[in-house]
Amino acid sequence: MRVLVAEDERKIAAFIRKALKEEGFTVDVTGNGDEAFLMATTQSYDAIVLDIMLPGRDGLSILRHLRERHNTVPVLILTARGELDERLEGLSVGADDYITKPFFVEELIARIHAVVRRASGDKLSLLQAGDLVVDLVTREVKVGDAAVDLTAREFNLLTYLMRSPGRVYPRTQIIEHVWGFDFDPGTNLVDVYIQRLRKKIDPEGGRGFLETVRGVGYRFKA
Ligand code: CA
């Protein structure tokens, strides 16, 4: 899961980033509303955590503009205690949920999972290809009856490719989505992870779920 966090209070932003990373999410953080809007419109996120009072464009304006552009990314707004008007306005311009500061990070994580689940619809919580089944909610992976144990990163890589079978993903795009912005693209990290995944989900090598597209990147077999 890739999440954008727009929050200008450094302590809160750092604390959210740390917690979401521990949860296995890829996290981009910005403290500026104009930058947040640019990132939200040029990158693909599974959810956005959006503070309302931001330098530059404010949170509600960002949200309104996203929805005007028919961008349906799940948005969870951060509001200060007692600011009922903001909360109502946020929901009316298309927020999926809100959380009031101060909050417990466990609650934030649970709400992110909930808005993503709602947005994708329950039927989409399972990805399936032949005898490979991935449950996006419980994060369980099975091949036939056998459970496959994946790390958070391996899981994110697999589901990223698996959501769009047949689509070719360049290595740089995979790194950006699965590892986040600040990663040196000069490594063979993606190749190493693909090899590991292949061994785990297809030990005999007969199914060929993860195809190499020479000189470009990888795709999940259509
Ligand atoms: Ca703020």
Side-chain angles (χ1 to χ4, degrees), residues 7-9 51-55 101:
E7 165 63 80
D8 60 320
E9 286 172 61
D51 185 32
I52 291 185
M53 296 297 288
L54 288 168
K101 295 188 218 179

Side-chain angles (χ1 to χ4, degrees), residues 154 157 171 179 187-199 218:
E154 290 165 350
L157 173 59
R171 285 180 181 74
W179 280 268
T187 68
N188 64 346
L189 191 72
V190 176
D191 311 272
V192 170
Y193 268 77
I194 291 278
Q195 290 310 323
R196 274 194 221 165
L197 261 180
R198 280 178 176 148
K199 280 188 193 137
Y218 293 96

Side-chain angles (χ1 to χ4, degrees), residues 166-222:
R167 177 168 164 191
V168 181
Y169 289 93
R171 285 180 181 74
T172 48
Q173 195 178 331
I174 294 173
I175 287 184
E176 203 174 285
H177 191 96
V178 179
W179 280 268
F181 273 135
D182 43 1
F183 215 96
D184 173 15
T187 68
N188 64 346
L189 191 72
V190 176
D191 311 272
V192 170
Y193 268 77
I194 291 278
Q195 290 310 323
R196 274 194 221 165
L197 261 180
R198 280 178 176 148
K199 280 188 193 137
K200 288 189 178 183
I201 62 173
D202 187 16
E204 309 291 322
R207 297 175 180 84
F209 290 125
L210 299 167
E211 296 178 328
T212 306
V213 181
R214 220 167 267 287
V216 187
Y218 293 96
R219 71 177 160 206
F220 194 87
K221 190 164 107 181

Side-chain angles (χ1 to χ4, degrees), residues 87-113:
R87 227 166 293 158
L88 292 176
E89 193 182 350
L91 292 172
S92 78
V93 297
D96 294 84
D97 201 355
Y98 64 86
I99 192 162
T100 307
K101 295 188 218 179
F103 52 84
F104 288 107
V105 77
E106 292 78 13
E107 187 186 356
L108 176 67
I109 290 169
R111 282 173 187 261
I112 292 174
H113 277 301

